[in-house]
Amino acid sequence: MRLRGVLLDLDGTLVDHAAAADAGLRAWLPTIGLAATDAAVARWTELQEPHLAAWRAGTISFAEQRRRRLRDFLGTDAADPSLDETFAGYLRHYEAAWRAYDDVTDALEIIAAAGLATAVLTNGSRVQQHRKLARTGLAGRVGPVFTVDDLGVAKPDPRAYRLVCERWGHNASEVLSVGDDHELDVAGARAAGLHAAHLDRPGTGPADEAVRLTSLRDLGPLLAGGR
């Protein structure tokens, strides 16, 4: 394949969202009088996707998805301002725990050595994701950055990928998508005509995926030839 760019996912690919969410929650829960148990962490994680999905579909605001998650988690009917203040406490701990994976710098060097451009496609919000890149030292090292706010559509919808390629100025067949979520970052990308590689750090599959990486450092052979 002849490539011009590598399109990278953010959470779970460049930045360890899961570890940050776990650490942030465990630090925050005692401040509101709750035990930081494994069950609490599991419940918080379980409640994330349904409300984020509603935001990505455009039926609620980003702030409202946070409120709904918190209402479900705490079993409260508190007013919006109170919920926003409570969530801000969690957010401070979550943001303090943001870290880039240790293979990211090597991967960016590998991509640059192959003569390829980078961009980021993320299902997160514009403000938070740009802050995340800045806090982890990745701002200006990857880009442009495309979010749901920018595109009006989210992964795995092929339209998200097509819009990115159009705005980035590359044909879909010239772009390799790399991400940790097989449905979003691989299947969705391929449906839009991009090449794709699954970043499967934990080795959980799917086992029949032919283009699978266990580290971003493994990108080199895929990029051989570059432009």
Side-chain angles (χ1 to χ4, degrees):
M1 62 185 172
R2 201 69 170 165
L3 298 176
R4 294 184 64 194
V6 179
L7 182 61
L8 297 159
D9 172 52
L10 180 51
D11 292 313
T13 300
L14 299 178
V15 174
D16 194 345
H17 161 74
D22 185 284
L25 190 71
R26 291 180 189 276
W28 169 67
L29 286 175
T31 71
I32 60 170
L34 297 177
T37 63
D38 290 346
V41 173
R43 176 64 174 157
W44 182 252
T45 303
E46 175 189 350
L47 290 170
Q48 173 179 263
E49 183 53 32
H51 301 306
L52 275 177
W55 165 68
R56 290 195 298 266
T59 59
I60 59 174
S61 69
F62 194 68
E64 181 59 22
Q65 65 85 17
R66 288 176 169 174
R67 295 174 192 133
R68 293 187 182 188
R69 185 182 185 187
L70 198 53
R71 285 191 184 101
D72 289 349
F73 183 73
L74 298 178
T76 180
D77 58 358
D80 288 357
S82 176
L83 290 169
D84 292 343
E85 182 178 355
T86 301
F87 196 94
Y90 161 71
L91 200 58
R92 284 191 292 272
H93 292 286
Y94 167 58
E95 292 184 357
W98 283 341
R99 300 288 186 276
Y101 286 100
D102 63 6
D103 57 1
V104 171
T105 293
D106 289 343
L108 295 180
E109 291 175 355
I110 289 167
I111 294 168
L116 304 178
T118 60
V120 172
L121 173 58
T122 168
N123 275 355
S125 72
R126 180 191 300 117
V127 171
Q128 184 176 64
Q129 301 301 68
H130 278 277
R131 183 184 299 131
K132 191 174 294 178
L133 289 167
R135 293 268 183 102
T136 57
L138 295 175
R141 299 175 63 194
V142 292
V145 179
F146 300 95
T147 70
V148 178
D149 296 325
D150 303 314
L151 302 173
V153 64
K155 299 184 287 186
D157 192 320
R159 290 177 297 170
Y161 287 96
R162 294 187 186 115
L163 281 169
V164 165
C165 292
E166 178 183 331
R167 296 182 187 185
W168 197 13
H170 298 320
N171 294 325
S173 61
E174 299 172 326
V175 176
L176 173 69
S177 171
V178 180
D180 67 297
D181 189 304
H182 194 272
E183 179 185 0
L184 272 59
D185 304 312
V186 178
R190 287 174 180 159
L194 286 73
H195 303 281
H198 183 212
L199 178 60
D200 185 16
R201 286 195 177 94
T204 54
D208 61 351
E209 171 54 52
V211 188
R212 183 167 53 172
L213 313 173
T214 57
S215 167
L216 288 174
R217 295 186 181 96
D218 299 334
L219 271 171
L222 284 180
L223 308 183
R227 291 174 180 267

